[in-house]
Amino acid sequence: MTSDRLLNRTGIVFLAVVLGVAVLVPALNLWTAPGSTFHVADYLMPLLGKYLCYALLAISVDLIWGYAGILSLGHGAFFALGGYAMGMYLMRQIGTRGVYGNPVLPDFMVFLNYRELPWFWLGFDHFAVAAVMVVLAPGLLAFVFGWFAFRSRVTGVYLSIITQAMTYALLLAFFRNDMGFGGNNGLTDFKDILGFPVQAQGTRAALFAASAIALAAGYLVCRFIVTSKLGKVLVAIRDAESRTRFIGYRVESYKLFVWVVSAILAGIAGALYVPQVGIINPGEFAPANSIETVIWVAVGGRGTLVGAALGAVVVNAGKTWFTGMLPELWLFALGAIFVLVTLFLPKGILGSLYEIAGYRRRRPAPEIVDSDGVVRPADRAGSASPAPAAAG
């Protein structure tokens, strides 16, 4: 079972693994020979980094779904907004190295006959501005959306549908060329980040380490929230919202706060994702992506945080394997995983392990009757031969 302490045994192990991976994987990539058994291939570094970004996204969803009962089917919108904020910075770093050699306008703007840089692109040649927007863009959207939704007391499936409508509307908007975000092609052909080549081995290693550190920090933030008094109120809202409101808590404020924090974490995950995969396009807004994130959380274990991260890694590793070996069967495999987990592991992988461990701790010790007719616990009966208990 989970604990009210900031770091329980599971959390300590999780952080140790994540921080260990942050050091070990780049080291094996940079300082081992390509032919070595322990060498981490160059292509594997961004792939594993992508898994870590997905794990942070899953934790952000578990924060609101597992502890506040808010099922979001549109968290891909916040992930994509953070990604676009980082992508805009990376596009501004290209400068004259683009196809058209324009020092100010990205290639797609030159192709679409833009005469000047749109106002909302100003300042994105500075990393600090991009970093602020990675937090501000998803956070502000979440605040505005949550303010109206929670004040209107929209809950349950209706809220889920509205979140899905939100991300679908953004998908359609970002597909338009006149939005100024690259249309269907999105943003790509990145060159540098903070002055370092994006494709360089050392840069990829640094981005991987940054993703692992962000995952660990995101877990600590979420864990701090759910183990605090605020977290107990969130659980009360999840289990009995009307009763929690009746005893005097401003339910809308609690939900709005945790909703915005979750959106910011998703935006940070998206920002770290983009330089590692090399592209951001409107496809990241697709509602199917948000639904898949919910599946990761369900598979790993809703309401466990660590389980959500585990589910993201397991499902995406399986996706990588299936799409390489049996690409036409991946969607069927994903659906089968969700159905099987729902039927046989309703609490997910980690939640089921917690339940098994808790059952074993609660199970009473077996008793036997020794040769003197005294009932003793089995572990204290010594070598006495067990005898049947007397009836009545």
Side-chain angles (χ1 to χ4, degrees):
M1 296 295 290
T2 57
S3 168
D4 288 338
R5 293 178 299 168
L6 177 60
L7 284 180
N8 56 10
R9 184 180 303 174
T10 304
I12 293 173
V13 172
F14 174 73
L15 289 177
V17 170
V18 171
L19 296 178
V21 164
V23 175
L24 184 62
V25 172
L28 293 177
N29 174 254
L30 295 173
W31 299 320
T32 58
S36 172
T37 304
F38 301 102
H39 179 70
V40 175
D42 290 345
Y43 79 90
L44 197 57
M45 182 77 68
L47 179 63
L48 296 176
K50 183 174 73 171
Y51 293 166
L52 294 178
C53 295
Y54 285 154
L56 179 56
L57 173 61
I59 284 179
S60 74
V61 172
D62 193 28
L63 175 64
I64 57 170
W65 185 33
Y67 293 91
I70 304 171
L71 176 57
S72 171
L73 298 181
H75 246 55
F78 307 126
F79 181 83
L81 285 175
Y84 265 97
M86 179 57 69
M88 292 165 72
Y89 162 76
L90 295 172
M91 291 297 290
R92 292 299 310 275
Q93 301 307 298
I94 296 175
T96 56
R97 291 172 294 175
V99 175
Y100 296 101
N102 192 301
V104 177
L105 299 180
D107 284 339
F108 74 88
M109 292 187 184
V110 178
F111 178 77
L112 295 173
N113 297 318
Y114 278 69
R115 296 184 178 181
E116 60 182 6
L117 197 69
W119 65 268
F120 48 84
W121 277 76
L122 298 176
F124 274 94
D125 52 334
H126 302 289
F127 182 81
V129 173
V132 170
M133 291 307 298
V134 163
V135 173
L136 187 61
L140 184 59
L141 174 63
F143 180 82
V144 174
F145 177 90
W147 175 272
F148 288 105
F150 300 140
R151 295 284 166 175
S152 301
R153 298 190 181 181
V154 180
T155 59
V157 66
Y158 302 103
L159 180 64
S160 300
I161 292 173
I162 293 175
T163 59
Q164 194 171 57
M166 173 190 68
T167 190
Y168 187 65
L170 289 170
L171 168 69
L172 297 179
F174 274 72
F175 260 118
R176 296 171 58 93
N177 286 328
D178 55 5
M179 279 288 290
F181 295 104
N184 183 41
N185 295 322
L187 310 178
T188 187
D189 194 30
F190 308 136
K191 307 293 186 186
D192 297 335
I193 179 169
L194 292 173
F196 298 96
V198 171
Q199 299 298 328
Q201 192 177 21
T203 306
R204 288 180 177 271
L207 287 169
F208 175 87
S211 301
I213 292 171
L215 174 59
Y219 169 78
L220 287 174
V221 169
C222 294
R223 184 69 184 167
F224 176 79
I225 290 173
V226 302
T227 56
S228 65
K229 292 181 179 180
L230 185 149
K232 291 179 172 58
V233 176
L234 292 176
V235 172
I237 293 171
R238 179 195 68 188
D239 296 339
E241 181 172 334
S242 298
R243 184 176 297 179
T244 306
R245 181 181 288 109
F246 178 76
I247 61 178
Y249 287 100
R250 299 187 62 179
V251 169
E252 295 78 14
S253 299
Y254 284 93
K255 293 172 73 173
L256 181 60
F257 171 78
V258 75
W259 173 260
V260 172
V261 171
S262 175
I264 290 173
L265 292 176
I268 294 172
L272 290 166
Y273 168 87
V274 167
Q276 296 185 85
V277 301
I279 189 172
I280 178 71
N281 60 38
E284 297 297 337
F285 287 102
N289 291 352
S290 299
I291 295 173
E292 192 172 329
T293 304
V294 172
I295 294 176
W296 304 341
V297 177
V299 169
R302 175 190 173 194
T304 61
L305 295 180
V306 173
L310 175 65
V313 174
V314 168
V315 174
N316 281 285
K319 181 178 181 179
T320 300
W321 185 85
F322 265 102
T323 52
M325 301 297 294
L326 301 167
E328 67 279 0
L329 297 180
W330 160 243
L331 290 178
F332 296 100
L334 181 64
I337 289 172
F338 189 56
V339 170
L340 291 175
V341 167
T342 303
L343 291 177
F344 300 106
L345 295 175
K347 295 186 178 181
I349 297 173
L350 194 61
S352 297
L353 293 176
Y354 280 149
E355 190 173 52
I356 293 171
Y359 170 75
R360 287 179 176 176
R361 284 197 298 268
R362 293 192 302 268
R363 187 173 56 184
E367 296 178 336
I368 61 174
V369 180
D370 63 14
S371 57
D372 298 325
V374 179
V375 179
R376 304 178 185 275
D379 60 347
R380 296 179 55 190
S383 60
S385 301

